[in-house]
Amino acid sequence: MGRKLIILISLLFVVMVGYFLINIFKSDPCTLLLTGAEQEIYDSFIVEYDNNILAEADPLLICKLYLHAMQTNDTDTGYQLVSKDQKYATYI
């Protein structure tokens, strides 16, 4: 009787964990949300693709803006966020 109870409790635990994980990943697990300030920078940049807007930006912010552009299928902005300077470009 004790062994059957342990197996039943174990199965219930596995089901609960599975249900929990399914509900977590129902939403898009890769959604990258920008903060209000980051969204303002993104919105300003996409008007004319002025690199001066990003002159003081942290490189990680630029990466985040690039990922956001790719998530939203904004390939033009994604391209503009990639360095086109030949001394930084690498070819595979």
Side-chain angles (χ1 to χ4, degrees):
M1 177 84 172
R3 185 174 180 192
K4 288 183 181 181
L5 183 60
I6 291 173
I7 292 172
L8 179 62
I9 291 172
S10 298
L11 286 173
L12 286 174
F13 179 74
V14 169
V15 169
M16 287 184 349
V17 169
Y19 178 77
F20 177 74
L21 291 175
I22 288 170
N23 282 324
I24 286 176
F25 293 111
K26 267 187 186 174
S27 63
D28 185 7
C30 297
T31 300
L32 180 67
L33 299 176
L34 300 177
T35 65
E38 292 168 344
Q39 187 66 50
E40 285 180 24
I41 292 170
Y42 184 82
D43 292 340
S44 297
F45 180 72
I46 64 173
V47 172
E48 294 184 23
Y49 297 122
D50 182 6
N51 286 327
N52 292 321
I53 293 170
L54 303 175
E56 299 297 318
D58 184 316
L60 290 177
L61 172 60
I62 296 172
C63 289
K64 191 173 180 182
L65 297 177
Y66 173 81
L67 292 173
H68 177 74
M70 293 297 96
Q71 269 186 334
T72 58
N73 295 321
D74 186 356
T75 54
D76 292 336
T77 300
Y79 176 76
Q80 293 299 325
L81 288 165
V82 175
S83 176
K84 290 161 225 41
D85 189 336
Q86 288 299 317
K87 74 178 185 181
Y88 297 112
T90 58
Y91 301 95
I92 297 174

